[in-house]
Amino acid sequence: MEKLIVSGGNRLRGTVQISGSKNSALPIIAATLLTAEPCTIRGVPNLSDIQFMCDILKWLSVNVRHHKTDGVVEVHAQHPLGVAPYDLVRKMRASVCLLGPLLARLHNCKVSLPGGCVIGDRPIDQHIKGLKRLGAEVEVQNGYVHARCTELVGTDVFMGGRFGSTVLGTANIIMAATLAKGITYLEGAACEPEIEDLCDFLTKMGAKIKGSGSHMLVIEGVEQLHGAEHTVIPDRIEAGTFMAAAAMTGGDIEIKGARAEHLCAVRDKLEEAGATVHRNNGSIRVQATGLLKPVDVITMPYPGFPTDMQAQMSALMTVTPGISVITEKVFPNRFMHISEMARLGADVSLEGSSAIVKGVRGLSGAPVMASDLRASAGLVIAGLGAEGETEVNRIYHVDRGYEKLDQKLRALGAKIERVAE
Ligand code: EPU
């Protein structure tokens, strides 16, 4: 196993290029199962989660070629199998978005339930409800979701759950509805940019989707979809993570490829905290040379402040003088990073789904343990702002979702090394 050694104190300066979006690429690769024709996906980041998805497709007898250095995944799903086993699915929760395309294509599939998750309870009741509305019989048995139908039939489906619209649930129902008979009205749909990107890809495959990017989608089912080529959007959470890192280190960096329109809530909070955020053509520049102010943050579905940026923003607030309140409305228990940040000297108390952060004068490096992808990013950012060495252990979490994070930070002037544990 590897760990990252971060020596804080250096201001980040320079330019960083953002990779393609992991959370766009995963459902888009799953969507290639909807056609027997070849598909080519470009701009795919080289991450372990992408590798897991490709491995599952290969297990389903699908021909997959992953050109890692070029960021290209070619898929040809001529005769996919319909069973995704626990051993592969448990490695990555996003494999639940195989349900929609496999059911639509084969009318009978079994996908293992992914199991526990460190960021909180992650039920899939909304996915199941949606598939049932489209006419599928769905049972959970022996750890598998077994979905079958004679045909899928379009109808109205409401996707809003207790914590807002589900992202991968929306992806599943959209994919299933593209091959359903008749029209599906998807209400309360997630409108994350990754869902819009999926709709763009499906449209290139011949799907008929109206309202992409909104809460109300109208999907007219077609007989079959065809092969297509697509380039995924830049990763807004990777970009946001570099924005927070710039603010943490009093830096000045240009984030190339970042789409400012996907990061309004993050930009707004960093500006409220006192950083300067310029939106250039195809990039975002963050300058944070002055003292920052505390801000209150509430995570929400898009276009609200993303839960996937909560740990990074929490890290920034730990050294911002004053009191900030960070409230989680998407995953109410997603605070595993807080006790690790306390090891660096952060003063944070948890009250229900809120973290009350009292900014301290400085953090001091210590060994910490990454618990999930975004928690690790938060700990790396905390380390960049801490005095001395912070050892971030279990960085396989980082590698699930950030392409070359350490290399990119080093190029911006950070002292960060990857070493064997
Ligand atoms: N929920 C339900 N029932 C469902 C589905 C979800 O109650 O059937 C709840 C969840 O428990 C949670 C909330 O609804 O409280 C939102 O969950 P959602 O389904 O939207 O999450 P997801 O689709 O499983 C995606 C991202 C996550 C990101 C969330 C929220 C991918 C592969 N994953 O997960 O990304 O945090 O949306 O934006 O797209 C990450 O990249 O680190 C990550 C965890």
Side-chain angles (χ1 to χ4, degrees), residues 234-407:
D235 196 309
R236 66 191 167 103
I237 304 299
E238 186 197 11
T241 301
F242 280 101
M243 290 168 80
M248 183 65 158
T249 60
D252 179 354
I253 68 174
E254 183 161 1
I255 304 164
K256 284 204 153 171
R259 294 226 188 135
E261 69 273 24
H262 293 167
L263 282 151
C264 295
V266 175
R267 205 177 73 193
D268 187 61
K269 279 295 155 191
L270 287 178
E271 281 177 341
E272 192 185 327
T276 308
V277 185
H278 298 285
R279 175 190 184 140
N280 297 329
N281 197 9
S283 74
I284 295 177
R285 182 171 173 190
V286 180
Q287 294 169 291
T289 38
L291 200 63
L292 296 185
K293 297 189 293 279
V295 289
D296 292 342
V297 174
I298 303 180
T299 69
M300 278 189 250
Y302 190 82
F305 191 92
T307 172
D308 290 343
M309 278 298 300
Q310 183 259 107
Q312 301 89 313
M313 197 66 182
S314 300
L316 178 61
M317 287 301 114
T318 61
V319 288
T320 301
I323 297 182
S324 327
V325 181
I326 316 263
T327 304
E328 248 304 335
K329 293 264 190 192
V330 180
F331 292 108
N333 299 316
R334 193 179 197 174
F335 285 116
M336 293 286 278
H337 45 281
I338 293 299
S339 40
E340 296 299 305
M341 287 178 191
R343 305 201 70 250
L344 304 177
D347 183 352
V348 186
S349 53
L350 289 179
E351 281 184 22
S353 57
S354 293
I356 318 295
V357 189
K358 289 185 193 152
V360 294
R361 288 180 77 88
L363 301 176
S364 58
V368 287
M369 197 79 86
S371 54
D372 78 275
L373 169 57
R374 307 305 171 188
S376 354
L379 291 172
V380 169
I381 289 177
L384 290 172
E387 211 182 291
E389 266 187 16
T390 299
E391 236 183 75
V392 185
N393 293 284
R394 297 199 183 164
I395 54 153
Y396 52 85
H397 290 297
V398 174
D399 298 331
R400 286 188 39 218
Y402 289 94
E403 196 176 49
K404 301 183 184 147
L405 181 67
D406 42 328
Q407 285 182 41

Side-chain angles (χ1 to χ4, degrees), residues 105-116:
R105 178 85 186 274
L106 305 174
H107 290 183
N108 191 353
C109 67
K110 277 168 96 172
V111 175
S112 170
L113 280 169

